[in-house]
Amino acid sequence: MTEELWALLKVGNELRNALAHGHKQGTVENKIVELRKAFIAASTPEQKKYIEEMTERQLITMAFSHCASHMIAAADRLERE
């Protein structure tokens, strides 16, 4: 897990908290912008253009899936060691 992946997961959790706890709309919108930036930072340059074009729902789904896939790979690696 890279620092960029942890940052992406942190922003994703902050977005989840804002949605779950009914924070004002501006907070949610700002977290979505932060999530997109963090997702781009945690991805390859080739993936950037696709992330920039994603809808908000696609962005949220793919950002969490991206983190989850890395976490599963890291857990499997630890288990084998």
Side-chain angles (χ1 to χ4, degrees):
M1 295 288 293
T2 64
E3 288 183 33
E4 292 82 8
L5 284 169
W6 285 115
L8 176 58
L9 192 57
K10 180 179 182 244
V11 173
N13 187 53
E14 291 170 356
L15 172 60
R16 190 218 64 84
N17 288 341
L19 290 167
H21 300 292
H23 293 181
K24 56 186 173 185
Q25 186 61 28
T27 301
V28 171
E29 291 168 351
N30 288 337
K31 290 299 172 190
I32 290 172
V33 169
E34 288 179 34
L35 185 71
R36 193 177 303 273
K37 288 178 184 177
F39 193 13
I40 288 170
S43 301
T44 65
E46 294 83 22
Q47 294 168 321
K48 179 182 177 183
K49 69 177 181 175
Y50 300 107
I51 296 167
E52 290 172 338
E53 296 172 359
M54 288 179 182
T55 65
E56 289 178 2
R57 288 182 186 205
Q58 290 171 328
L59 171 69
I60 293 165
T61 301
M62 294 307 298
F64 278 105
S65 294
H66 186 73
C67 288
S69 65
H70 285 273
M71 291 170 68
I72 290 168
D76 285 347
R77 192 172 302 139
L78 284 173
E79 199 172 276
R80 280 185 264 128
E81 294 173 3

